């Protein structure tokens, strides 16, 4: 690996400001070719406890610093991320597989959260409320919640970390992080830059290894006041259960099953462009990915043909090769899921306009477009998390709203129409946390990201993301006539 700043490639955990090796190690491989990239320690309960000890101690000092100080440290971290974005993207592509240009985009996205919250740190305002009694004052202050445990996914190995860490540090919290086992090196590189930026020791701890043992400490330790998790709905439910005994605050960003609705009055070319990004970003491994594309009968064939033409042109391959836009999927299980959805749909009457699987053992999938879909197919009910665009036909607005909402998930939805009235009507009726109207890419540090129903709890990004790391304290000051 050629890095301009080789110290970014860390193969040790970062605990209490020290880089620590373990007695056992896990091998991390490149999903493009199976080659070994490096090793990380297999840490467990003891090290997770050390992380919490260190974070608890660091929190007691960090919470007393000024907002200005925290803002400046975060600003420095942001600048270092920008300066080293090529190296960070190189590490990210190697361990996650996404094309280098897309990895650079993710690093910019990740850095934008650090920038945003470096500014937001100064705006954790309290409130003064007119008193219910004479000679008294009602004052509301905001306090950092304490030690936060974060568990982050492999699909966005940088952005899902900074979207949690940056508001936490801005608010005055400390963090213990367990990154996804597939993508630890991006997390460790971010920790190295945080160290360089002057984050005090113990404030940010990154531990790799035994998920059950580490997660057990994160959810059971009383000093951890919040758990923030991005990942599957099933694991989210387990963490919520485990956190119940100590009543932790939870932030859960879980699975989606996003509808992407194209009405007959839509700009079809814009809808096709939107579908390309909403469906094939990160090879479809995104929780806000369009999972069910509902297309009005009157424009169905036209949309299908235009989409398939663009999809066939997508170059699939190693993320470092020229012009590649679809990298490998993360592992064999991810490929098997796409395969299961395609086979189930085809067995029930779907037609594949394009798409193919690579030879055995390879993780490349040439993206699929399937037509003649019906709601009894697997993909109608579960997230594929891969490059498969299934096109469902619909006939009217009320019908498509009902079908779009017929899922336990409620993360994102997309709709394309030229009618302003319909855009608002359908946008209001969709049971989700986020709606893209004539837009396929809705993610930004400026907006609150999150879902309803089984897609999770809480919001990340925007000023609302900061509130998630703050507690309100109400103080009544009486006797002011004395
Ligand atoms: C995710 O897939 O979990 C996040 C995607 C995004 O931030 O756009």
């Amino acid at each position: 690996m050629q890095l301009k700043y080789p110290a970014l490639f860390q193969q040790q955990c970062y605990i209490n400001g020290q880089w620590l090796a373990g007695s056992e190690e896990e091998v991390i491989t490149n999903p493009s070719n199976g080659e070994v990239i490096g090793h990380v320690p297999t840490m467990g309960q003891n090290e997770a406890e050390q992380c919490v000890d260190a974070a608890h101690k660091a929190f007691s000092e960090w919470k007393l610093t000024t907002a200005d100080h925290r803002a400046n440290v975060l600003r420095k971290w942001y600048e270092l991320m920008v300066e080293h974005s090529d190296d960070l993207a190189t590490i990210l592509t190697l361990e996650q597989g996404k094309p280098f240009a897309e990895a650079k985009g993710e690093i910019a996205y990740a850095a934008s959260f650090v920038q945003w919250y470096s500014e937001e740190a100064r705006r954790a305002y309290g409130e003064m409320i007119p008193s219910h009694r004479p000679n008294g004052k009602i004052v509301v202050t905001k306090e950092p919640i304490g030690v936060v445990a974060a568990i982050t996914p492999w699909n966005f190995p940088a952005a899902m970390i900074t979207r949690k860490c940056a508001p936490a540090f801005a608010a005055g919290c400390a963090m213990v992080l367990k990154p996804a086992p597939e993508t630890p090196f991006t997390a460790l590189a971010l920790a190295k830059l945080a160290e360089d930026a002057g984050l005090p020791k113990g404030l940010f701890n990154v531990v790799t290894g035994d998920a059950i043992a580490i997660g057990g400490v994160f959810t059971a330790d009383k000093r951890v006041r919040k758990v923030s998790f991005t990942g599957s709905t099933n694991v989210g439910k387990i963490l919520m259960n485990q956190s119940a005994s100590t009543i932790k605050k939870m932030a859960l960003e879980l699975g989606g099953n996003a509808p992407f609705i194209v009405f007959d009055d839509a700009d079809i070319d814009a809808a096709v462009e939107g579908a390309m990004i909403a469906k094939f970003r990160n090879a479809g491994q995104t929780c806000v990915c369009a999972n069910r594309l509902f297309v009005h009968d009157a424009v169905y064939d036209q949309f299908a043909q235009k989409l398939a033409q663009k999809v066939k042109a997508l170059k699939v391959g190693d993320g470092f090769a020229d012009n590649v836009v679809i990298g490998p999927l993360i592992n064999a299980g991810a490929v098997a899921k796409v395969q299961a959805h395609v086979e189930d749909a085809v067995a029930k009457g779907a037609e594949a306009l394009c798409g193919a699987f690579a030879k055995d053992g390879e993780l490349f999938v040439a993206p699929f477009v399937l037509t003649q879909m019906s709601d009894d197919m697997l993909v109608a009910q579960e997230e594929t998390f891969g490059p498969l665009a299934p096109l469902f036909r619909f006939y009217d607005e009320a019908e498509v709203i009902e079908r779009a909402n017929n899922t336990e998930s409620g993360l994102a939805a997309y709709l394309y129409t030229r009618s302003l009235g319909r855009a608002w009507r359908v946008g209001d009726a969709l049971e989700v946390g986020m709606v893209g109207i004539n837009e396929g890419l809705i993610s930004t540090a400026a907006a609150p990201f999150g879902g309803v129903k089984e897609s999770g709890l809480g919001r990340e990004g925007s000023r609302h993301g900061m509130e998630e790391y703050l507690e309100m304290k109400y103080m009544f000051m009486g006797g002011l006539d004395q």
Side-chain angles (χ1 to χ4, degrees):
M1 183 186 322
Q2 296 287 313
L3 298 180
K4 290 188 207 104
Y5 183 27
L8 284 185
F9 185 64
Q10 290 289 339
Q11 301 190 74
Q12 297 181 323
C13 288
Y14 186 59
I15 302 177
N16 200 20
Q18 291 187 312
W19 293 95
L20 300 178
S23 50
E24 286 176 41
E25 292 189 323
E26 292 172 24
V27 179
I28 310 300
T29 56
N30 177 343
S32 274
N33 52 25
E35 283 172 12
V36 174
I37 307 168
H39 301 81
V40 288
T42 312
M43 302 295 202
Q45 185 182 337
N46 285 345
E47 294 81 4
E49 279 166 1
Q50 282 172 33
C51 286
V52 178
D53 291 346
H56 191 245
K57 181 160 186 311
F59 169 63
S60 64
E61 292 168 16
W62 183 248
K63 70 177 180 186
L64 301 178
T65 59
T66 62
D68 200 49
H69 175 75
R70 297 195 295 275
N72 290 337
V73 174
L74 284 173
R75 176 80 202 179
K76 181 73 189 157
W77 193 23
Y78 158 72
E79 285 166 1
L80 290 174
M81 285 183 69
V82 173
E83 184 185 333
H84 296 288
S85 61
D86 278 343
D87 281 353
L88 290 171
T90 299
I91 294 171
L92 203 162
T93 294
L94 268 175
E95 65 180 357
Q96 201 275 344
K98 68 178 68 173
F100 183 71
E102 199 174 341
K104 285 262 310 209
E106 184 184 334
I107 298 303
Y109 179 45
S112 76
F113 288 104
V114 183
Q115 181 189 34
W116 179 275
Y117 288 106
S118 73
E119 292 157 3
E120 204 63 26
R122 296 185 174 92
R123 285 185 270 280
Y125 301 139
E127 205 178 355
M128 184 82 115
I129 298 175
S131 172
H132 61 305
R133 276 204 252 132
N135 305 315
K137 298 269 181 215
I138 294 176
V139 182
V140 179
T141 59
K142 298 284 177 74
E143 295 181 347
I145 190 162
V147 174
V148 178
I151 303 177
T152 51
W154 50 262
N155 63 339
F156 287 83
M160 296 306 99
I161 291 176
T162 56
R163 192 152 87 178
K164 299 179 191 305
C165 286
F169 297 147
C173 299
M175 184 163 273
V176 293
L177 166 72
K178 187 195 171 298
E182 296 84 352
T183 56
F185 294 126
T186 305
L188 294 164
L190 290 175
K192 175 68 193 135
L193 293 180
E195 179 183 42
D196 293 356
L199 244 77
K201 75 173 185 158
L203 196 73
F204 185 28
N205 305 275
V206 183
V207 62
T208 57
D210 183 338
I212 294 179
I214 295 169
V217 172
F218 284 6
T219 51
D221 195 303
K222 286 186 179 150
R223 295 166 300 172
V224 174
R225 293 310 319 141
K226 174 176 172 126
V227 172
S228 180
F229 169 69
T230 297
S232 74
T233 301
N234 283 344
V235 174
K237 287 180 183 177
I238 293 169
L239 293 171
M240 199 168 177
N241 246 318
Q242 288 181 191
S243 302
S245 66
T246 48
I247 313 287
K248 295 190 198 313
K249 197 164 174 168
M250 303 296 295
L252 299 172
E253 204 260 273
L254 309 176
N257 183 358
F260 183 102
I261 307 171
V262 184
F263 286 97
D264 50 347
D265 62 356
D267 175 337
I268 298 303
D269 290 325
V272 169
E273 282 305 329
M276 293 298 290
I277 183 85
K279 178 67 250 185
F280 297 110
R281 178 171 168 237
N282 196 20
Q285 303 173 111
T286 303
C287 58
V288 286
C289 261
N291 200 54
R292 297 166 294 154
L293 290 86
F294 293 102
V295 186
H296 191 276
D297 177 57
V299 292
Y300 187 94
D301 293 337
Q302 186 193 359
F303 180 87
Q305 177 258 318
K306 287 189 174 197
L307 183 70
Q309 195 181 2
K310 280 205 178 283
V311 171
K312 282 178 198 163
L314 295 175
K315 189 167 170 200
V316 182
D318 186 295
F320 290 108
D322 287 344
N323 304 321
V324 162
V325 280
I326 303 279
L329 299 196
I330 192 72
N331 55 33
V335 176
K337 185 151 195 203
V338 181
Q339 201 149 10
H341 280 189
V342 170
E343 283 170 6
D344 169 76
V346 169
K348 290 176 180 154
E351 190 190 328
L353 299 190
C354 55
F357 293 97
K359 55 183 190 287
D360 270 359
E362 283 200 350
L363 302 176
F364 298 106
V365 176
F368 281 84
V369 175
L370 297 185
T371 56
Q372 317 313 333
M373 299 297 296
S374 54
D375 292 0
D376 61 338
M377 294 171 180
L378 268 184
V379 64
Q381 285 130 45
E382 358 172 294
E383 193 177 23
T384 307
F385 230 64
L388 159 58
L391 307 189
F392 297 80
R393 199 181 288 267
F394 76 91
Y395 297 89
D396 73 58
E397 192 181 299
E399 170 215 340
V400 78
I401 291 171
E402 194 189 329
R403 289 169 70 193
N405 286 339
N406 187 18
T407 164
E408 295 310 321
S409 303
L411 192 58
Y414 306 85
L415 68 102
Y416 277 74
T417 177
R418 284 195 176 94
S419 156
L420 196 54
R422 171 174 276 158
W424 281 106
R425 221 169 32 243
V426 179
D428 283 346
L430 289 168
E431 297 168 356
V432 292
M434 299 171 279
V435 184
I437 299 175
N438 296 326
E439 179 56 57
L441 183 61
I442 53 176
S443 307
T444 162
F449 189 107
V452 299
K453 293 160 83 175
E454 293 198 7
S455 286
L457 296 172
R459 293 294 181 270
E460 295 184 321
S462 78
R463 71 184 170 82
H464 301 286
M466 180 89 173
E467 292 295 328
E468 300 272 337
Y469 294 90
L470 293 165
E471 289 284 20
M472 260 185 268
K473 181 178 276 173
Y474 148 56
M475 292 192 248
F476 185 78
M477 184 178 278
L480 294 181
D481 56 337
Q482 286 150 24

